[in-house]
Amino acid sequence: MKTQHQYDVLIIGSGAAGLTLALNLAERFQVAVLSKSDINQGSTWFAQGGIAAVLDSEDSVEAHVNDTLDAGAGLCHEDSVRFTVENSADAIRWLIDQGVDFTREAEGEDYHLTKEGGHSHRRIIHSADATGQAVHSALSERALSHENIDIYAHHIAVDLVKQPSPKSRKLRCAGAYVYNRPKDRVDLFQAKAVILATGGASKVYLYTSNPDGASGDGIAMAWRAGCRIANMEFNQFHPTCLFHPKAKSFLITEALRGEGAYLRLPNGERFMHRFDEREELAPRDIVARAIDHEMKRLGSDCLYLDISHKPEAFIAEHFPTVKARCMEFGIDISKEWIPVVPAAHYTCGGVVVDHNGQTDLQQLYAIGETSFTGLHGANRMASNSLLECIVYAQAAARHISETINNVADIQTIAPWDASRVTDSDEDVVISHNWDELRRFMWDYVGIVRTRKRLERATHRIKLLQKEIAEYYSNYKVSNDQIELRNLATVAELIIRSAMGRKESRGLHYSLDYPDLSNVAKDTILVPMNFAGQDLIVSTSSK
């Protein structure tokens, strides 16, 4: 019974960022990839729209940079934006080399580029309306067949392992304790480089476009390990998720609006012109707030997206996934309006990293939605997310390749101790707390916020965390328990960040502070055990 595993590199997460990193390292190193569920159940698989990149002669790096800076409402880090955009074309060429089948023009060899909210040019390369699936399928096929990559499905990290580095006075990451769901035990994975690629935290909200696994695991683990977290108040709510009791979390891609779909009130009236001159192509935060405003003003459960004025053949060619999914619920989008509501979609903040994806803790990296690179600012521009995954995964791979041979050997790590815990016969506590947390986050820390709502959320999260900590200390770990603990941590970080921002900017809108501050500052949360500090060695004297 092998409960301890030794690798050169441990990647926690199996989406686009994690698999890109694995494939860029596997020729030289032994790599382990942990997947919480089946390998195709992460957010990448469900991404529809596409990947933004400068691929057309009429487009430019400057235009893409400027569009991103504008969408980010003054909080983007220009060096990070430029770094990402300048590497965008190379990232797309690499994906094509991996076998990603992007959609081409009807005639010719050129790739079809579409346009989405916030973009001044057609620069979104895509695979029909299932780009994430095409990217993930190609990368996972290569990773699964690579002899130096071991993929562990149904394994969820519990916490990171830290130990003093022999070469400095600082702590380093040396691996992670991992819950092995098939065996119902906690295993130890040791590695000289550990990468958090666990995605975002949108499952902290009641309504979300994300799959069930988006519980902020990497962000929560990094915080507990002593890493700084930034800009967690900026939660992007996608304006258009399918509103249907059986649809759960199906996203209606922004590309529909990019190709001319209209937003309508229940009486058929268009309304976006009252909120922004760009109408349906305004950035997501503006569109989401407009829909939220109209729903509350009218007392309506949903609004509508209409692309029925486009030819049926055009809809079938460009949006086959959306068309087929809506037909499952009796909605023919070529003839009928699509009922939509906003839903939590993307976490713009995360673990603070540099251009190599390095966190504050030595040998710990964070990439993709888990990380805070400075690219997104106060609002992520459409289709920059998958691009960030590829660019920063490749940057991290280069840095790990150049430095890992200088990392000292890992010292002995104690196995997981479960000797003082018992099996729980009160799992109803987990489901109740899970539901309560997501409901008050939606009600109090949603699209529009107030000081009073945030104070209520602060009170509730403190009580919940106390209950969760007690439960975690006394009972054997389980998948739901681990995710609930992480969600509670992330919820606290979001609430604290929102409380600290005394303005309305981008995705953070406060009725108490509706104006934009003259000074744009990131919200940086620093844990008590900040890993950037020197290791404090306790001494005693008589």
Side-chain angles (χ1 to χ4, degrees):
M1 184 175 65
K2 186 176 181 181
T3 60
Q4 296 191 26
H5 308 268
Q6 180 72 54
Y7 286 90
D8 297 314
V9 179
L10 171 64
I11 301 171
I12 305 174
S14 60
L19 293 180
T20 296
L21 182 64
L23 290 169
N24 276 272
L25 289 174
E27 294 306 314
R28 295 181 56 195
F29 307 106
Q30 293 292 321
V31 180
V33 177
L34 306 184
S35 180
K36 286 178 67 172
S37 185
D38 295 328
I39 192 172
N40 63 349
Q41 289 300 303
S43 293
T44 297
W45 182 267
F46 298 99
Q48 295 176 8
I51 306 174
V54 180
L55 303 169
D56 187 85
S57 59
E58 296 184 3
D59 197 5
S60 68
V61 168
E62 288 303 319
H64 192 171
V65 168
N66 289 334
D67 289 346
T68 302
L69 294 175
D70 182 58
L75 271 189
C76 296
H77 296 192
E78 186 169 352
D79 59 336
S80 299
V81 176
R82 193 167 295 279
F83 172 75
T84 305
V85 174
E86 287 177 346
N87 286 283
S88 64
D90 286 341
I92 298 301
R93 282 191 286 269
W94 182 82
L95 287 173
I96 292 171
D97 289 342
Q98 305 309 303
V100 179
D101 185 19
F102 291 112
T103 298
R104 297 180 184 272
E105 295 285 3
E107 296 180 3
E109 292 298 312
D110 292 338
Y111 290 104
H112 179 266
L113 302 178
T114 190
K115 185 178 180 182
E116 296 180 349
H119 292 273
S120 60
H121 290 78
R122 283 183 172 266
R123 64 167 68 99
I124 315 301
I125 189 169
H126 61 101
S127 181
D129 61 346
T131 305
Q133 185 173 331
V135 169
H136 198 275
S137 294
L139 299 184
S140 60
E141 181 179 349
R142 286 182 173 264
L144 286 165
S145 63
H146 202 293
E147 62 180 3
N148 288 342
I149 299 176
D150 292 334
I151 296 178
Y152 294 83
H154 301 282
H155 281 63
I156 175 171
V158 181
D159 264 321
L160 300 171
V161 175
K162 298 186 296 182
Q163 61 180 212
S165 173
K167 296 187 177 183
S168 73
R169 300 181 67 238
K170 293 183 178 181
L171 293 173
R172 67 172 179 177
C173 187
Y177 292 113
V178 178
Y179 177 55
N180 180 337
R181 290 183 68 185
K183 300 293 185 181
D184 189 27
R185 69 179 187 226
V186 176
D187 295 346
L188 171 62
F189 281 76
Q190 302 176 77
K192 288 187 174 182
V194 178
I195 299 88
L196 299 171
T198 58
S202 288
K203 206 65 182 179
V204 77
Y205 288 101
L206 184 62
Y207 301 111
T208 175
S209 65
N210 285 199
D212 287 341
S215 50
D217 303 327
I219 296 170
M221 286 190 292
W223 174 256
R224 291 194 292 266
C227 296
R228 290 171 299 161
I229 307 295
N231 286 9
M232 290 300 291
E233 68 269 39
F234 298 115
N235 310 99
Q236 187 175 74
F237 289 81
H238 197 287
T240 54
C241 282
L242 180 61
F243 179 74
H244 191 281
K246 296 182 180 179
K248 196 174 182 180
S249 58
F250 183 69
L251 175 71
I252 305 298
T253 174
E254 187 155 8
L256 266 82
R257 286 183 284 124
E259 294 295 343
Y262 302 136
L263 283 165
R264 297 187 184 277
L265 300 177
N267 66 1
E269 180 187 353
R270 292 179 64 189
F271 60 91
M272 277 306 304
H273 61 280
R274 298 199 294 267
F275 295 89
D276 194 281
E277 63 182 9
R278 291 165 289 188
E279 299 182 333
E280 279 81 3
L281 288 179
R284 287 176 176 174
D285 60 323
I286 295 173
V287 180
R289 277 202 304 275
I291 295 174
D292 183 69
H293 174 84
E294 292 297 321
M295 286 174 59
K296 288 176 178 175
R297 181 178 70 84
L298 297 171
S300 177
D301 290 333
C302 67
L303 297 187
Y304 296 89
L305 187 65
D306 174 22
I307 198 168
S308 62
H309 51 281
K310 290 286 186 178
E312 186 169 356
F314 174 88
I315 294 171
E317 178 185 356
H318 288 274
F319 306 110
T321 304
V322 174
K323 188 175 190 299
R325 184 64 168 158
C326 286
M327 281 298 292
E328 292 178 18
F329 303 108
I331 304 166
D332 184 349
I333 68 173
S334 66
K335 298 180 176 65
E336 301 173 84
W337 303 345
I338 308 168
V340 294
V341 292
H345 182 59
Y346 193 86
T347 306
C348 289
V351 185
V352 176
V353 299
D354 63 13
H355 284 342
N356 296 316
Q358 286 192 109
T359 72
D360 295 318
L361 183 61
Q362 290 185 4
Q363 309 314 129
L364 178 67
Y365 298 75
I367 54 177
E369 195 175 351
T370 304
S371 67
F372 169 76
T373 63
L375 171 64
H376 304 304
N379 181 25
R380 176 180 72 95
M381 190 167 68
S383 293
N384 271 350
S385 55
L386 284 176
L387 175 63
E388 181 185 41
C389 287
I390 308 304
V391 169
Y392 274 86
Q394 292 179 327
R398 288 192 294 269
H399 189 264
I400 292 169
S401 296
E402 293 167 359
T403 61
I404 195 170
N405 289 332
N406 297 324
V407 177
D409 290 339
I410 296 171
Q411 302 165 31
T412 302
I413 300 173
W416 181 262
D417 182 8
S419 61
R420 290 172 288 182
V421 296
T422 61
D423 290 319
S424 170
D425 59 357
E426 294 288 340
D427 282 355
V428 66
V429 174
I430 295 177
S431 61
H432 182 275
N433 285 354
W434 180 287
D435 183 65
E436 181 180 353
L437 185 152
R438 297 179 66 214
R439 284 186 181 276
F440 79 66
M441 286 296 291
W442 181 262
D443 291 338
Y444 300 151
V445 202
I447 296 174
V448 177
R449 298 161 179 173
T450 68
R451 178 183 56 81
K452 183 173 288 187
R453 292 173 190 172
L454 292 175
E455 287 174 349
R456 288 172 179 157
T458 300
H459 176 67
R460 290 306 310 144
I461 195 60
K462 287 180 179 178
L463 293 176
L464 273 180
Q465 284 184 317
K466 184 177 179 181
E467 290 183 16
I468 292 166
E470 181 180 358
Y471 193 96
Y472 179 79
S473 300
N474 290 293
Y475 298 109
K476 287 178 63 177
V477 297
S478 66
N479 186 79
D480 289 345
Q481 182 202 66
I482 294 166
E483 290 187 332
L484 175 62
R485 177 177 177 238
N486 291 334
L487 276 176
T489 297
V490 169
E492 179 198 0
L493 297 174
I494 294 172
I495 296 165
R496 285 177 56 183
S497 299
M499 288 284 284
R501 187 164 291 279
K502 310 298 188 195
E503 64 167 346
S504 289
R505 182 184 296 272
L507 300 167
H508 173 78
Y509 188 80
S510 170
L511 293 177
D512 295 308
Y513 305 98
D515 298 325
L516 186 69
S517 172
N518 292 328
V519 180
K521 290 184 178 180
D522 293 321
T523 302
I524 308 291
L525 300 180
V526 183
M528 294 291 291
N529 59 333
F530 178 44
Q533 299 173 345
D534 287 346
L535 174 65
I536 299 175
V537 181
S538 61
T539 59
S540 61
S541 60
K542 294 182 179 179

